[in-house]
Amino acid sequence: MNARLRDVAEHAGVSVRTVSNVVNGFRYVAPDTRTRVQASIDELGYRPNLAARTLRHSRTGLIALVVPEIDSPYFAELAARTVRIAQHRGLTVLIDQTDGDFERERLLLHGKRGQLVDGVLFSPWAVAPADLAARTDTVPLVLLGEHDGPAPVDHVAIDNVAAAREATRHLLATGRRRIAVIGVQPRTLNASARQRLAGYRQELEAFGLAPVVDRERPVRRLHRSDGYQAMLELLDSETPDAVFCFTDQLALGAMRALAERGLSVPDDVAIVGFDDIEDGRYSVPALTTVSPDKDQIASLALDALAAQGKPPRSIIAPHELIVRATT
Amino acid sequence: MNARLRDVAEHAGVSVRTVSNVVNGFRYVAPDTRTRVQASIDELGYRPNLAARTLRHSRTGLIALVVPEIDSPYFAELAARTVRIAQHRGLTVLIDQTDGDFERERLLLHGKRGQLVDGVLFSPWAVAPADLAARTDTVPLVLLGEHDGPAPVDHVAIDNVAAAREATRHLLATGRRRIAVIGVQPRTLNASARQRLAGYRQELEAFGLAPVVDRERPVRRLHRSDGYQAMLELLDSETPDAVFCFTDQLALGAMRALAERGLSVPDDVAIVGFDDIEDGRYSVPALTTVSPDKDQIASLALDALAAQGKPPRSIIAPHELIVRATT
DNA sequence: ATGAAAGCGCTAACAC
DNA sequence: GTGTTAGCGCTTTCAT
């Protein structure tokens, strides 16, 4: 068994109170008492028991980051930044992976974690705003990414409509007219996808072009294979001169399909992605993409968590279009 | 404040013991008592306090996965699998990111986490076996990845020497003779890199070829940019006809450099990577690579954690060479 | 500046 | 089948 506060106290010949004071850096401890206690601590290898502390303070210093999949590059990069920023603030991040499973997401929302964490950063995939509203758990919650409909929770996202318009405008500006999109979500789950689609349509319309239904390709998930598949389907009907993919992963999959069909990027088909994951910076050719400011997202979300209690806010993080070699 | 066991007990008109029994699915509870208690639980929105439970049981159900960077695809994929498998075993994974910082790794080893976690899966970057031996913390530890020198801890890794030999042999079998490597670590930190280098040399030697010092390129880190840089340097002296990269990320960076110089893969230069990350499956051309069985690694590591107490073992996980389009 | 002791919420040994 | 209660390790009020 590990040494307890009392063991140290006995060893040093003082009371537990004094040891506690030393451990917590309390000011009023006689210097030599402090030295003696510290020596006992070292000798016994004492480590404070976090569970007991938590029970006392009813706060754990732990926050949960809930994502569909941690090995999806966007989430991996977001997680890395979140962990780093949280560390700076004295917080530890516990990562939960739902695999996009509705039941797991619901469980998490309703406090499966018990009082283990002080707050939850939640990137939903399957649950809808209504589920959020029905939440019974009381731990502070901040939503990551778009969601629509009124839900009584803070959320941090970029302006997806504006970002999609910029991406589309850029494609139009480089002379493309047959612009397709890949990444429409079949079920109405994914608000980000819906907003990106809306932005794309708006910009087309503003330019005087009518949307073509066959150019709006749905995908089941947002993996490379889905982008690959969707691109092949797109090529079966008509070859577009540009494709706006709702994630970089989809874009990379699409590029692979183009390469296999012997089509050149960007000469035959221009590609724009979304997320600015590292792979896109090193793909051949390098991927033009919408870059959400992930540091800001993490940072703002952590702020929102800390500021809970105030009325729920909708926080917009910055983004920018990064033009590389695919356009 | 949240409802406590006692609140539920009072509300249902029973003792805490009975409520505890219901919560924990104890058998001997009268059916109607159970129903009544359950109703109170739901009504009050009771959730067990994990801290109190932990204090009682002195086990948290939490394990830490310590990696240099969670957004490095290999670690992201390993983490995803570890989280998934741990979930199956009723364990929650807390992810710690050290950024390869020696001090942070040291702190973690010496129990910074207090009694927060029941075990640690540690993928070291900066600390050496000697540091491990000097460990004072008592939580079970399993090392992920190669390390050499005797350290009194379990570790799970693939056979890096054999894997490197297979990769090299494959390159030789396809007629390549000027085979370079990218990924040598300047300081002797990284045991995996050293073993891969050893395997490469052994195979060359077995084939009757002498190693050429200029073809063994060092890198500082294992990112794409390092691979890119190293490849450019390699091309400045002599163009090899094949490159064995010690990670897929290095390989992808190298491929980008080759593309920029107008060299074709695999016609001019064949490439083999290591790790089998998803990006490599979708790169153009798709990357030949050594694939460590990540599920097995995660699973064996969790087993080892559970089996602690026995003398430290060195556990070998399987791997295989996956031939794709770059060779 | 230090000691004594209550209590955070839960579990389980011991009653009945 | 259910009630009572000690105690997990820590912090902190109250007392000295």
Side-chain angles (χ1 to χ4, degrees), chain B residues 4-5 17 20 46 49 52-53 56:
Chain B
R4 298 156 304 155
L5 214 45
R17 168 70 210 255
S20 176
Y46 170 78
N49 180 317
R53 232 176 223 184
R56 199 60 241 267

Side-chain angles (χ1 to χ4, degrees), chain A residues 111-128:
Chain A
K112 187 191 89 178
R113 282 274 161 266
Q115 273 84 289
L116 222 198
V117 297
D118 298 337
V120 178
L121 264 28
F122 181 37
S123 190
W125 175 260
V127 302

Side-chain angles (χ1 to χ4, degrees), chain A residues 122-158:
Chain A
F122 181 37
S123 190
W125 175 260
V127 302
D131 301 303
L132 293 173
R135 205 168 94 92
T136 58
D137 196 21
T138 56
V139 301
L141 174 74
V142 173
L143 244 41
L144 259 28
E146 207 42 72
H147 86 114
D148 40 26
V153 277
D154 284 332
H155 87 275
V156 178
I158 64 165

Side-chain angles (χ1 to χ4, degrees), chain A:
Chain A
M1 209 48 195
N2 263 304
R4 297 156 308 154
L5 216 44
R6 215 178 72 193
D7 300 325
V8 178
E10 280 171 12
H11 188 271
V14 296
S15 82
V16 288
R17 166 70 208 257
T18 303
V19 181
S20 175
N21 283 343
V22 171
V23 171
N24 297 297
F26 191 61
R27 277 166 311 190
Y28 305 115
V29 182
D32 65 326
T33 313
R34 183 182 295 276
T35 319
R36 200 148 37 90
V37 170
Q38 188 58 54
S40 297
I41 289 177
D42 293 340
E43 187 171 340
L44 299 179
Y46 168 78
R47 306 228 200 301
N49 180 316
L50 277 286
R53 236 178 219 182
T54 296
L55 183 54
R56 202 55 243 264
H57 281 142
S58 56
R59 89 170 270 299
T60 58
L62 240 49
I63 60 165
L65 174 66
V66 182
V67 293
E69 33 194 19
I70 185 65
D71 54 349
S72 166
Y74 174 73
F75 290 119
E77 294 183 13
L78 185 62
R81 286 166 163 77
T82 305
V83 169
R84 221 164 270 141
I85 294 171
Q87 253 163 11
H88 269 281
R89 305 190 183 187
L91 257 25
T92 298
V93 178
L94 188 152
I95 297 182
D96 256 306
Q97 187 171 240
T98 63
D99 288 320
D101 182 63
F102 175 79
E103 190 49 26
R104 282 234 281 293
E105 290 194 352
R106 206 188 55 78
L107 238 60
L108 251 353
L109 276 184
H110 292 303
K112 187 191 89 178
R113 282 274 161 266
Q115 273 84 289
L116 222 198
V117 297
D118 298 337
V120 178
L121 264 28
F122 181 37
S123 190
W125 175 260
V127 302
D131 301 303
L132 293 173
R135 205 168 94 92
T136 58
D137 196 21
T138 56
V139 301
L141 174 74
V142 173
L143 244 41
L144 259 28
E146 207 42 72
H147 86 114
D148 40 26
V153 277
D154 284 332
H155 87 275
V156 178
I158 64 165
D159 185 340
N160 277 285
V161 176
R165 292 195 67 157
E166 286 164 43
T168 311
R169 194 176 316 141
H170 168 64
L171 253 12
L172 288 167
T174 57
R176 313 288 169 162
R177 293 298 176 268
R178 299 190 315 281
I179 305 173
V181 295
I182 292 180
V184 178
Q185 296 294 116
R187 311 194 43 205
T188 51
L189 318 156
N190 192 326
S192 298
R194 198 154 52 259
Q195 300 209 353
R196 290 172 197 178
L197 180 61
Y200 154 80
R201 284 180 179 165
Q202 282 175 25
E203 193 62 27
L204 239 44
E205 205 165 324
F207 195 80
L209 290 175
V212 177
V213 123
D214 259 12
R215 290 193 189 133
E216 299 175 351
R217 309 304 303 188
V219 291
R220 224 173 54 77
R221 309 277 293 211
L222 304 173
H223 297 161
R224 282 180 175 78
S225 54
D226 300 298
Y228 174 83
Q229 205 53 50
M231 189 71 232
L232 288 182
E233 288 164 22
L234 214 41
L235 292 175
D236 281 346
S237 45
E238 162 216 41
T239 302
D241 59 8
V243 185
F244 171 32
C245 299
F246 290 174
T247 73
D248 281 0
Q249 294 233 82
L250 291 172
L252 294 169
M255 282 165 68
R256 156 137 223 107
L258 289 168
E260 286 181 7
R261 290 290 177 92
L263 291 165
S264 149
V265 176
D267 294 337
D268 297 318
V269 183
I271 302 277
V272 176
F274 208 113
D275 285 349
D276 189 22
I277 63 176
E278 206 205 351
D279 321 13
R281 292 204 271 283
Y282 281 85
S283 64
V284 183
L287 182 62
T288 293
T289 192
V290 173
S291 176
D293 189 331
K294 303 187 194 85
D295 275 324
Q296 277 294 317
I297 293 176
S299 181
L300 290 169
L302 254 15
D303 290 344
L305 219 45
Q308 287 265 340
K310 296 166 187 160
R313 296 188 310 142
S314 187
I315 300 156
I316 303 298
H319 69 267
E320 81 187 289
L321 179 72
I322 299 184
V323 177
R324 300 207 188 93
T326 55
T327 55

